[in-house]
Amino acid sequence: MTTLHEPVVTTTPADLSVWPASTTEPRPGDLAVGGVPLAEVADRFGTPVYVLDENEVRERCRTYRHAFPDAEVLYAAKAFLCRAMVHWTEEEGLGLDVCSAGELELAVTTGFPPERIVLHGNAKSPRDLETALRLGVGRIVIDSPSEIARLAAAVGPDGHQKVMVRVVPGISAGGHEKIRTGTDDQKFGLSIADGYAQHAIARILDQPQLQLTGLHCHLGSQITSVKPYLAAVRRVVGLMARLYEQHGLVLAELDLGGGHGIAYRPGEAALDLTALARKVRAELSDACAAAGLPVPRLIIEPGRAVVGPAGIAVYRVLAVKKTGAHTFVAVDGGMSDNPRPALYGVRYAPRLIGRASAAPTAPVTVVGRHCEAGDVLAADVELPSDVRPGDLLAVPVAGAYHLSMASGYNLVGRPPVTAVRDGHARLLVRRESLDDIRRRDVGL
């Protein structure tokens, strides 16, 4: 999505289709992103290391603003958050969608305007709500009936807080059953079908300190078709029509969430953002006209689609082992820095970098260093048959749900995050050290 800074020398465009648009091959086998060779990043910052193309992130923010000029675009911070990411999204005109007091405080202390932040979550803690009210968060998304009284009490009789209600439209969409959130059999939201959503809304209307601004709906993640979003629009507008009939309520906002699918490997499908914007806008207009309602302002919450394709994970090969018909290539990271293959069966396309190889490719399984049979980063992928210890492997589309889901398994420590732009690399988040781990361990 970003503009190429220099021409690709030997690599075909198809080979780089899921890499940041600034990716080039200045020398055979030596990929550069943002004008910085990835092998140099690995030498300077060590491995494993995450690399973020700042221009790619910014251009993806702009693409959303241009596709949805009349909508409010909120970056979903759960995908990846650090102070630089907060700064980039704020400068590019996006709001923020956060899920915890931690994400909220990091954003506000970095300078992000709290009124442009939305807090949601299926089980908000007292600290989450207290922090949101103290910092003046723009809207709080109510996810369960019990939150209504808790929030009203926390606001107090003289206070005021804008809220939305997360509704479940009963639509199954998403890349894996564990990331589908639009159906009635999961933990998020209030069902439209059984009347729970309407009952909760009636209770909110009885709380004068809570101002209901609209409805929130998130179908899931890795959705590559526009159709589920159109179905969601119809069902949520249907609920809005019933609320108008029962309460004379006209809601000003409709949040369709995010979940916009991206390609992790060449040839995979991705959501057509232009088609999504055009068809959702038309569907919303038609549905509201049929219901006799004004068109609410649309809100969307992309996360993965903003930062995912901008990130690369770079590993160093530690061992190559042949076991029967299988070849395992073990690297110095694994499920502690990327649990997604173990959780969702996600498939990646790693690439040998830092040297040219004339060897034919062969199927291998790239595995991590952790004491877990499920610690597999990429199964049955093609790599040069001469891959050996000391080589570098780069995994594209590693910007989302890697560091944000990283763990302390085996006390390996989480990798650093670097940013590249215009030929320069800088550290955003330092490597987690053994000293960090020891300092948290306070008892004997």
Side-chain angles (χ1 to χ4, degrees), residues 5-51:
H5 296 298
E6 54 182 301
V8 175
V9 176
T10 59
T11 309
T12 63
D15 289 335
L16 297 176
S17 62
V18 296
W19 287 73
S22 69
T23 306
T24 61
E25 190 174 14
R27 292 175 297 278
D30 192 12
L31 289 190
V33 175
V36 182
L38 292 176
E40 289 187 12
V41 176
D43 290 341
R44 179 179 169 188
F45 298 101
T47 55
V49 59
Y50 299 116
V51 183

Short mmCIF file of all heavy atoms in Angstrom, two decimals, residues 5-51:
data_model
loop_
_atom_site.label_atom_id
_atom_site.label_comp_id
_atom_site.label_asym_id
_atom_site.label_seq_id
_atom_site.Cartn_x
_atom_site.Cartn_y
_atom_site.Cartn_z
N HIS A 5 10.12 2.67 -2.55
CA HIS A 5 11.20 3.65 -2.50
C HIS A 5 12.28 3.38 -3.54
O HIS A 5 12.99 4.26 -3.96
CB HIS A 5 11.83 3.65 -1.10
CG HIS A 5 10.88 4.10 -0.04
ND1 HIS A 5 10.31 5.35 -0.01
CD2 HIS A 5 10.38 3.43 1.03
CE1 HIS A 5 9.52 5.46 1.05
NE2 HIS A 5 9.53 4.32 1.68
N GLU A 6 12.42 2.10 -3.94
CA GLU A 6 13.40 1.74 -4.95
C GLU A 6 12.89 0.51 -5.67
O GLU A 6 12.10 -0.26 -5.13
CB GLU A 6 14.78 1.49 -4.31
CG GLU A 6 14.76 0.46 -3.19
CD GLU A 6 16.13 0.30 -2.57
OE1 GLU A 6 17.06 -0.04 -3.29
OE2 GLU A 6 16.25 0.48 -1.35
N PRO A 7 13.31 0.24 -6.87
CA PRO A 7 12.75 -0.87 -7.63
C PRO A 7 13.23 -2.21 -7.08
O PRO A 7 14.33 -2.34 -6.54
CB PRO A 7 13.30 -0.64 -9.04
CG PRO A 7 14.55 0.15 -8.84
CD PRO A 7 14.28 1.03 -7.67
N VAL A 8 12.38 -3.21 -7.18
CA VAL A 8 12.77 -4.58 -6.84
C VAL A 8 13.74 -5.07 -7.89
O VAL A 8 13.50 -4.94 -9.09
CB VAL A 8 11.52 -5.48 -6.77
CG1 VAL A 8 11.93 -6.92 -6.53
CG2 VAL A 8 10.59 -4.99 -5.67
N VAL A 9 14.84 -5.66 -7.44
CA VAL A 9 15.90 -6.02 -8.38
C VAL A 9 15.67 -7.39 -8.99
O VAL A 9 15.61 -7.54 -10.21
CB VAL A 9 17.27 -5.96 -7.67
CG1 VAL A 9 18.36 -6.42 -8.62
CG2 VAL A 9 17.55 -4.54 -7.19
N THR A 10 15.53 -8.41 -8.16
CA THR A 10 15.44 -9.76 -8.71
C THR A 10 14.18 -10.50 -8.30
O THR A 10 13.90 -11.54 -8.86
CB THR A 10 16.65 -10.59 -8.26
OG1 THR A 10 16.67 -10.64 -6.83
CG2 THR A 10 17.94 -10.01 -8.76
N THR A 11 13.43 -10.00 -7.34
CA THR A 11 12.28 -10.73 -6.84
C THR A 11 11.02 -10.31 -7.58
O THR A 11 10.80 -9.12 -7.79
CB THR A 11 12.09 -10.48 -5.34
OG1 THR A 11 13.33 -10.71 -4.68
CG2 THR A 11 11.04 -11.39 -4.76
N THR A 12 10.20 -11.26 -7.98
CA THR A 12 8.99 -10.93 -8.71
C THR A 12 7.97 -10.35 -7.75
O THR A 12 7.95 -10.67 -6.57
CB THR A 12 8.41 -12.20 -9.36
OG1 THR A 12 8.05 -13.12 -8.33
CG2 THR A 12 9.42 -12.85 -10.27
N PRO A 13 7.06 -9.48 -8.25
CA PRO A 13 6.04 -8.88 -7.38
C PRO A 13 5.18 -9.91 -6.66
O PRO A 13 4.79 -9.71 -5.52
CB PRO A 13 5.22 -8.03 -8.36
CG PRO A 13 6.17 -7.71 -9.47
CD PRO A 13 7.04 -8.92 -9.60
N ALA A 14 4.89 -11.03 -7.32
CA ALA A 14 4.04 -12.04 -6.68
C ALA A 14 4.70 -12.57 -5.42
O ALA A 14 4.04 -12.87 -4.44
CB ALA A 14 3.76 -13.18 -7.65
N ASP A 15 6.03 -12.69 -5.42
CA ASP A 15 6.73 -13.20 -4.25
C ASP A 15 6.63 -12.25 -3.07
O ASP A 15 6.76 -12.65 -1.92
CB ASP A 15 8.21 -13.42 -4.57
CG ASP A 15 8.45 -14.59 -5.50
OD1 ASP A 15 7.60 -15.50 -5.53
OD2 ASP A 15 9.47 -14.57 -6.19
N LEU A 16 6.40 -10.98 -3.34
CA LEU A 16 6.37 -9.96 -2.29
C LEU A 16 4.95 -9.45 -2.04
O LEU A 16 4.78 -8.43 -1.38
CB LEU A 16 7.27 -8.79 -2.68
CG LEU A 16 8.75 -9.10 -2.81
CD1 LEU A 16 9.51 -7.87 -3.28
CD2 LEU A 16 9.33 -9.59 -1.49
N SER A 17 3.95 -10.15 -2.49
CA SER A 17 2.59 -9.62 -2.43
C SER A 17 2.08 -9.42 -1.02
O SER A 17 1.19 -8.59 -0.81
CB SER A 17 1.63 -10.54 -3.21
OG SER A 17 1.61 -11.84 -2.62
N VAL A 18 2.60 -10.16 -0.05
CA VAL A 18 2.12 -9.98 1.33
C VAL A 18 3.13 -9.21 2.18
O VAL A 18 2.96 -9.11 3.40
CB VAL A 18 1.79 -11.34 2.00
CG1 VAL A 18 0.64 -12.03 1.27
CG2 VAL A 18 3.01 -12.24 2.06
N TRP A 19 4.16 -8.69 1.56
CA TRP A 19 5.16 -7.92 2.28
C TRP A 19 4.82 -6.43 2.21
O TRP A 19 4.04 -6.01 1.35
CB TRP A 19 6.54 -8.15 1.65
CG TRP A 19 7.10 -9.51 1.96
CD1 TRP A 19 6.68 -10.69 1.44
CD2 TRP A 19 8.16 -9.81 2.86
NE1 TRP A 19 7.42 -11.73 1.96
CE2 TRP A 19 8.34 -11.22 2.84
CE3 TRP A 19 8.98 -9.05 3.68
CZ2 TRP A 19 9.29 -11.85 3.61
CZ3 TRP A 19 9.95 -9.69 4.44
CH2 TRP A 19 10.10 -11.07 4.41
N PRO A 20 5.38 -5.61 3.10
CA PRO A 20 5.17 -4.17 2.98
C PRO A 20 5.56 -3.69 1.59
O PRO A 20 6.49 -4.22 0.96
CB PRO A 20 6.11 -3.58 4.06
CG PRO A 20 6.23 -4.67 5.07
CD PRO A 20 6.20 -5.96 4.29
N ALA A 21 4.87 -2.67 1.11
CA ALA A 21 5.10 -2.20 -0.27
C ALA A 21 6.48 -1.61 -0.46
O ALA A 21 6.94 -1.47 -1.59
CB ALA A 21 4.03 -1.19 -0.65
N SER A 22 7.17 -1.26 0.63
CA SER A 22 8.52 -0.71 0.51
C SER A 22 9.58 -1.80 0.37
O SER A 22 10.76 -1.50 0.22
CB SER A 22 8.85 0.14 1.73
OG SER A 22 8.97 -0.67 2.89
N THR A 23 9.17 -3.07 0.39
CA THR A 23 10.13 -4.17 0.37
C THR A 23 10.86 -4.23 -0.97
O THR A 23 10.25 -4.19 -2.04
CB THR A 23 9.43 -5.51 0.63
OG1 THR A 23 8.68 -5.41 1.84
CG2 THR A 23 10.44 -6.64 0.75
N THR A 24 12.18 -4.33 -0.91
CA THR A 24 13.02 -4.46 -2.10
C THR A 24 14.06 -5.54 -1.86
O THR A 24 14.25 -6.02 -0.75
CB THR A 24 13.74 -3.13 -2.41
OG1 THR A 24 14.58 -2.79 -1.31
CG2 THR A 24 12.75 -2.00 -2.65
N GLU A 25 14.72 -5.92 -2.94
CA GLU A 25 15.80 -6.89 -2.86
C GLU A 25 17.05 -6.25 -3.46
O GLU A 25 17.38 -6.48 -4.62
CB GLU A 25 15.44 -8.18 -3.58
CG GLU A 25 16.44 -9.30 -3.33
CD GLU A 25 15.99 -10.63 -3.94
OE1 GLU A 25 15.07 -10.61 -4.77
OE2 GLU A 25 16.57 -11.67 -3.59
N PRO A 26 17.76 -5.41 -2.69
CA PRO A 26 18.92 -4.69 -3.24
C PRO A 26 20.02 -5.62 -3.71
O PRO A 26 20.77 -5.28 -4.62
CB PRO A 26 19.37 -3.81 -2.07
CG PRO A 26 18.79 -4.44 -0.85
CD PRO A 26 17.52 -5.09 -1.27
N ARG A 27 20.14 -6.78 -3.07
CA ARG A 27 21.07 -7.82 -3.49
C ARG A 27 20.34 -9.15 -3.42
O ARG A 27 19.46 -9.32 -2.58
CB ARG A 27 22.31 -7.85 -2.59
CG ARG A 27 23.21 -6.64 -2.72
CD ARG A 27 24.36 -6.67 -1.71
NE ARG A 27 23.85 -6.64 -0.35
CZ ARG A 27 23.49 -5.51 0.28
NH1 ARG A 27 23.55 -4.34 -0.33
NH2 ARG A 27 23.05 -5.57 1.53
N PRO A 28 20.70 -10.11 -4.26
CA PRO A 28 20.00 -11.39 -4.24
C PRO A 28 19.96 -12.00 -2.84
O PRO A 28 20.98 -12.14 -2.17
CB PRO A 28 20.83 -12.26 -5.20
CG PRO A 28 21.43 -11.28 -6.15
CD PRO A 28 21.73 -10.05 -5.33
N GLY A 29 18.73 -12.28 -2.40
CA GLY A 29 18.55 -12.92 -1.11
C GLY A 29 18.56 -11.98 0.08
O GLY A 29 18.37 -12.42 1.21
N ASP A 30 18.77 -10.70 -0.15
CA ASP A 30 18.91 -9.74 0.95
C ASP A 30 17.76 -8.74 0.88
O ASP A 30 17.84 -7.74 0.17
CB ASP A 30 20.26 -9.03 0.84
CG ASP A 30 20.57 -8.24 2.10
OD1 ASP A 30 19.88 -8.43 3.12
OD2 ASP A 30 21.52 -7.43 2.07
N LEU A 31 16.68 -8.99 1.59
CA LEU A 31 15.52 -8.12 1.54
C LEU A 31 15.70 -6.91 2.43
O LEU A 31 16.27 -6.99 3.52
CB LEU A 31 14.26 -8.88 1.98
CG LEU A 31 13.72 -9.95 1.03
CD1 LEU A 31 12.34 -10.39 1.52
CD2 LEU A 31 13.63 -9.44 -0.40
N ALA A 32 15.17 -5.78 1.96
CA ALA A 32 15.15 -4.55 2.74
C ALA A 32 13.71 -4.06 2.85
O ALA A 32 12.92 -4.21 1.91
CB ALA A 32 16.03 -3.48 2.09
N VAL A 33 13.37 -3.50 3.98
CA VAL A 33 12.04 -2.92 4.21
C VAL A 33 12.24 -1.50 4.72
O VAL A 33 13.08 -1.26 5.60
CB VAL A 33 11.23 -3.74 5.23
CG1 VAL A 33 9.89 -3.07 5.54
CG2 VAL A 33 10.99 -5.15 4.70
N GLY A 34 11.50 -0.56 4.15
CA GLY A 34 11.69 0.83 4.54
C GLY A 34 13.09 1.33 4.27
O GLY A 34 13.58 2.24 4.95
N GLY A 35 13.76 0.73 3.30
CA GLY A 35 15.13 1.12 2.98
C GLY A 35 16.19 0.53 3.88
O GLY A 35 17.37 0.88 3.75
N VAL A 36 15.82 -0.38 4.78
CA VAL A 36 16.77 -0.96 5.73
C VAL A 36 16.85 -2.47 5.50
O VAL A 36 15.84 -3.17 5.59
CB VAL A 36 16.34 -0.69 7.18
CG1 VAL A 36 17.35 -1.27 8.15
CG2 VAL A 36 16.13 0.80 7.43
N PRO A 37 18.02 -3.03 5.20
CA PRO A 37 18.15 -4.48 5.05
C PRO A 37 17.76 -5.18 6.35
O PRO A 37 18.20 -4.81 7.44
CB PRO A 37 19.64 -4.68 4.74
CG PRO A 37 20.08 -3.38 4.15
CD PRO A 37 19.28 -2.33 4.87
N LEU A 38 16.94 -6.21 6.24
CA LEU A 38 16.48 -6.92 7.43
C LEU A 38 17.63 -7.61 8.15
O LEU A 38 17.62 -7.74 9.38
CB LEU A 38 15.40 -7.93 7.05
CG LEU A 38 14.07 -7.34 6.56
CD1 LEU A 38 13.13 -8.45 6.11
CD2 LEU A 38 13.43 -6.49 7.64
N ALA A 39 18.64 -8.06 7.40
CA ALA A 39 19.79 -8.68 8.04
C ALA A 39 20.52 -7.67 8.93
O ALA A 39 21.05 -8.03 10.00
CB ALA A 39 20.74 -9.24 6.98
N GLU A 40 20.56 -6.40 8.52
CA GLU A 40 21.18 -5.38 9.36
C GLU A 40 20.38 -5.15 10.63
O GLU A 40 20.95 -4.92 11.71
CB GLU A 40 21.30 -4.07 8.57
CG GLU A 40 22.35 -4.10 7.48
CD GLU A 40 22.54 -2.74 6.84
OE1 GLU A 40 22.02 -1.74 7.40
OE2 GLU A 40 23.20 -2.67 5.78
N VAL A 41 19.05 -5.19 10.53
CA VAL A 41 18.21 -5.05 11.73
C VAL A 41 18.51 -6.19 12.70
O VAL A 41 18.66 -5.98 13.91
CB VAL A 41 16.72 -5.04 11.35
CG1 VAL A 41 15.85 -4.99 12.61
CG2 VAL A 41 16.41 -3.85 10.46
N ALA A 42 18.61 -7.41 12.16
CA ALA A 42 18.90 -8.57 13.01
C ALA A 42 20.27 -8.44 13.67
O ALA A 42 20.43 -8.74 14.86
CB ALA A 42 18.84 -9.85 12.18
N ASP A 43 21.28 -7.99 12.94
CA ASP A 43 22.62 -7.83 13.52
C ASP A 43 22.65 -6.74 14.59
O ASP A 43 23.32 -6.87 15.61
CB ASP A 43 23.63 -7.50 12.42
CG ASP A 43 23.89 -8.67 11.50
OD1 ASP A 43 23.60 -9.82 11.90
OD2 ASP A 43 24.39 -8.45 10.38
N ARG A 44 21.90 -5.68 14.36
CA ARG A 44 21.94 -4.54 15.29
C ARG A 44 21.12 -4.79 16.55
O ARG A 44 21.56 -4.45 17.66
CB ARG A 44 21.41 -3.29 14.56
CG ARG A 44 21.37 -2.05 15.44
CD ARG A 44 20.86 -0.85 14.65
NE ARG A 44 20.57 0.28 15.51
CZ ARG A 44 19.96 1.39 15.10
NH1 ARG A 44 19.59 1.50 13.83
NH2 ARG A 44 19.72 2.37 15.95
N PHE A 45 19.93 -5.39 16.40
CA PHE A 45 19.03 -5.53 17.54
C PHE A 45 18.91 -6.96 18.06
O PHE A 45 18.25 -7.19 19.07
CB PHE A 45 17.63 -5.02 17.16
CG PHE A 45 17.61 -3.56 16.81
CD1 PHE A 45 17.58 -3.15 15.48
CD2 PHE A 45 17.62 -2.59 17.80
CE1 PHE A 45 17.55 -1.80 15.15
CE2 PHE A 45 17.60 -1.23 17.49
CZ PHE A 45 17.57 -0.84 16.15
N GLY A 46 19.55 -7.91 17.38
CA GLY A 46 19.44 -9.30 17.79
C GLY A 46 18.17 -9.93 17.28
O GLY A 46 17.31 -9.28 16.69
N THR A 47 18.04 -11.24 17.50
CA THR A 47 16.85 -11.97 17.09
C THR A 47 16.33 -12.77 18.29
O THR A 47 17.09 -13.10 19.20
CB THR A 47 17.17 -12.94 15.93
OG1 THR A 47 18.24 -13.80 16.31
CG2 THR A 47 17.52 -12.18 14.67
N PRO A 48 15.04 -13.09 18.28
CA PRO A 48 14.01 -12.63 17.35
C PRO A 48 13.80 -11.13 17.47
O PRO A 48 14.06 -10.54 18.51
CB PRO A 48 12.75 -13.39 17.80
CG PRO A 48 13.22 -14.45 18.72
CD PRO A 48 14.48 -13.97 19.32
N VAL A 49 13.29 -10.52 16.41
CA VAL A 49 13.03 -9.09 16.41
C VAL A 49 11.84 -8.83 15.50
O VAL A 49 11.70 -9.44 14.44
CB VAL A 49 14.26 -8.28 15.96
CG1 VAL A 49 14.70 -8.67 14.55
CG2 VAL A 49 14.01 -6.79 16.05
N TYR A 50 10.94 -7.95 15.95
CA TYR A 50 9.85 -7.49 15.12
C TYR A 50 10.29 -6.22 14.40
O TYR A 50 10.90 -5.33 15.00
CB TYR A 50 8.61 -7.16 15.94
CG TYR A 50 8.01 -8.31 16.72
CD1 TYR A 50 7.99 -8.29 18.11
CD2 TYR A 50 7.42 -9.39 16.07
CE1 TYR A 50 7.42 -9.31 18.84
CE2 TYR A 50 6.85 -10.42 16.79
CZ TYR A 50 6.85 -10.38 18.17
OH TYR A 50 6.28 -11.40 18.88
N VAL A 51 9.90 -6.10 13.13
CA VAL A 51 10.21 -4.92 12.34
C VAL A 51 8.89 -4.34 11.83
O VAL A 51 8.11 -5.06 11.19
CB VAL A 51 11.13 -5.26 11.15
CG1 VAL A 51 11.49 -4.01 10.38
CG2 VAL A 51 12.38 -5.99 11.63
#
